[in-house]
Amino acid sequence: MTIQADQETVIVEAFINGHNVPSLSQSSKENPANPAEIVGYFPVTTKEQAVEAIEAASEAFKKWKQTSIDERIIRMRKAIEKIRAAENGIVHLLSREHGKPLYDAHGEIYVSLMWMEYACNEAKSALQEEIREHEHGKTILSHDPMGVVAAISPWNYPIALSTIKIAPALLAGNTIVLKPSPFAPLAAAKVAELIAGEFPAGVINVVHGDADVGVELTSNPLVAKIAFTGGTATAKHIIKAASETIKDMTLELGGNDAAIFLESFDVHDERAMRRIVISNFLTAGQICMIAKRVYVHRSIYDAFVEKYIEAANRWIRIGDPFDSNTTVGPVNNLKQKNYVQGLIEDAHARGAKVIPLGQILDQKRFDQGYYLQPTLVLDCGYHDPIVVEEQFGPAVPILPFDDVEQVIHLHNESIYGLTSSVWGQEEDAISVARQLEAGTTMINTAAVQGLDVRFPFGGFKQSGIGREYGAEGIRTYTEQHVINVPGTLDLPYIPE
């Protein structure tokens, strides 16, 4: 399959049981950098087609679950090579439909392939059957596939957060129905079809559509597991829909990730300052694990803000995603742009100081697209909306704190607990990190820069249920099956 790198309009269809399935109606996807340009069209999948996809996956599971782990790995490695060969076309399509700069789109493919390779390398070990001989006989512990997985991916990293589900689900012996986000449906669908080409019909299916399709995926009794990445509010609806059939779920949800700068942090460390700026504004701040609120010890606060602004103005260049000078592109969609703009305006109305950052490379392009200039917010209250809500966009508040106990409390009182970061002398930073309620805490780095696919990723509290990545991220698509074989030893408390 060739994916065009030019401005050709892309059309995707539902992919069910090995075939593209036409729909009666389609939706359009615009270019966030130039909303007048239609990048492509994707189907409005019907509820009936969603049922068809689930049933196809259920039927395919009967044979697929019996395949060897070696066969699954071979097929997945072939899919990896197909994605790698098509990377440039995928990257261009992703940049056009999402708005992320080319380097960022390449980075998404890099993370996707890195995880898929790791999953292939780790699958045998992670899924290895264990046999324990003991005085009562023998116990066999196996990791059995679940069945049909309903995978619902978001728009911010549509390919990476689809493959994070596809690879382990299939390697574990499941089948899958994927629903990409309508805000970034094209590249994810194309990649899923590339992978599907290496697997039997029905093992991978792709549907699109609105709430009706989502409800079917999360409530249909043939679906054994739900893998969802997205907002906490949506997850609450998913949990309710799944409750009737008690489905297994992995939910990677919202986060309001804090970066904490201790008194021992060196504000003159230019690399570290650049690192935190990137941790705030990569992908225009639209990453679940981005640093969304920054706390700085009062003793270094003024110097930190000064050096932060200098670093931000050096790195941030807002422009066309296809301009190699661009580091920050537009926000993905108008609704999200308006939401973030509203948080900034609310902070300003409350008395906060709002400072635009970086350089706008093309004012005309900026004005016509869903662009927001990255913004620093100072002098806001600890409980203002810009601080306590997940902005998911290019705006970040910086607040002072006086002691470690205070900042730990400020961190932990959030309803979220996805990731966090602590910056400063390593021993001090680790000491603080141990007291934070978060699935991952990074030391002297944050966000994607500190991501390691070898280790589990997920959140505390309303940031989610379960873990992805690592061996745990493979085993989460299995049920542990215990087989006991009795020995000759009689239990002493049971009479003859």
Side-chain angles (χ1 to χ4, degrees), residues 324-387:
S324 61
N325 293 311
T326 296
T327 56
V328 177
V331 175
N332 171 264
N333 58 83
L334 184 59
K335 179 181 178 181
Q336 191 64 24
K337 174 189 172 180
N338 290 340
Y339 172 71
V340 180
Q341 183 67 54
L343 288 175
I344 297 169
E345 292 172 356
D346 174 80
H348 186 262
R350 293 171 184 267
K353 186 177 182 181
V354 174
I355 302 173
L357 300 169
Q359 174 189 2
I360 297 174
L361 299 178
D362 184 338
Q363 189 64 52
K364 182 179 179 181
R365 173 55 62 98
F366 183 93
D367 292 339
Q368 72 182 9
Y370 300 149
Y371 286 90
L372 273 178
Q373 186 163 4
T375 302
L376 176 62
V377 181
L378 303 176
D379 302 330
C380 52
Y382 290 119
H383 299 99
D384 286 355
I386 189 71
V387 179

Side-chain angles (χ1 to χ4, degrees), residues 34-79:
N34 178 18
E37 176 198 338
I38 299 301
V39 178
Y41 296 90
F42 62 100
V44 179
T45 305
T46 64
K47 177 182 177 179
E48 290 73 22
Q49 288 173 325
V51 170
E52 182 184 348
I54 293 168
E55 290 177 346
S58 180
E59 186 64 26
F61 176 66
K62 296 174 183 178
K63 290 185 178 180
W64 179 246
K65 67 179 179 180
Q66 298 174 5
T67 59
S68 68
I69 185 65
D70 290 317
E71 178 182 343
R72 298 172 200 163
I73 291 170
I74 289 170
R75 289 177 180 274
M76 190 62 68
R77 290 197 186 282
K78 289 181 179 179

Side-chain angles (χ1 to χ4, degrees), residues 56-214:
S58 180
E59 186 64 26
F61 176 66
K62 296 174 183 178
K63 290 185 178 180
W64 179 246
K65 67 179 179 180
Q66 298 174 5
T67 59
S68 68
I69 185 65
D70 290 317
E71 178 182 343
R72 298 172 200 163
I73 291 170
I74 289 170
R75 289 177 180 274
M76 190 62 68
R77 290 197 186 282
K78 289 181 179 179
I80 289 170
E81 291 310 310
K82 287 172 68 175
I83 295 171
R84 187 170 282 121
E87 178 173 352
N88 286 336
I90 296 169
V91 162
H92 278 73
L93 177 57
L94 178 60
S95 286
R96 288 178 63 209
E97 71 166 328
H98 182 279
K100 61 177 63 185
L102 283 176
Y103 80 89
D104 195 2
H106 274 291
E108 178 168 347
I109 300 298
Y110 174 82
V111 171
S112 302
L113 294 176
M114 179 170 58
W115 163 244
M116 294 175 74
E117 289 277 13
Y118 173 86
C120 287
N121 294 336
E122 185 68 21
K124 269 189 151 179
S125 174
L127 302 175
Q128 178 68 45
E129 182 177 271
E130 182 181 353
I131 301 176
R132 298 180 186 177
E133 303 275 359
H134 48 80
E135 62 179 350
H136 296 294
K138 179 169 64 176
T139 300
I140 303 168
L141 293 90
S142 64
H143 299 281
D144 293 356
M146 292 177 162
V148 179
V149 175
I152 304 173
S153 60
W155 51 261
N156 62 322
Y157 269 63
I159 295 172
L161 295 175
S162 294
T163 55
I164 198 178
K165 301 165 178 57
I166 293 172
L170 269 54
L171 289 170
N174 303 286
T175 56
I176 197 165
V177 180
L178 172 71
K179 181 184 180 296
S181 167
F183 289 113
L186 306 176
K190 291 290 187 181
V191 169
E193 286 190 37
L194 285 174
I195 300 172
E198 295 302 325
F199 291 83
V203 172
I204 305 178
N205 306 272
V206 184
V207 296
H208 301 264
D210 51 22
D212 285 347
V213 173

Side-chain angles (χ1 to χ4, degrees), residues 391-403:
Q391 66 272 47
F392 217 70
V396 64
I398 298 181
L399 306 98
F401 70 91
D402 295 299
D403 54 58

Side-chain angles (χ1 to χ4, degrees), residues 442-457:
M442 303 175 190
I443 305 300
N444 293 319
T445 190
V448 178
Q449 299 165 108
L451 177 66
D452 191 330
V453 301
R454 297 173 298 174
F455 299 99
F457 181 83

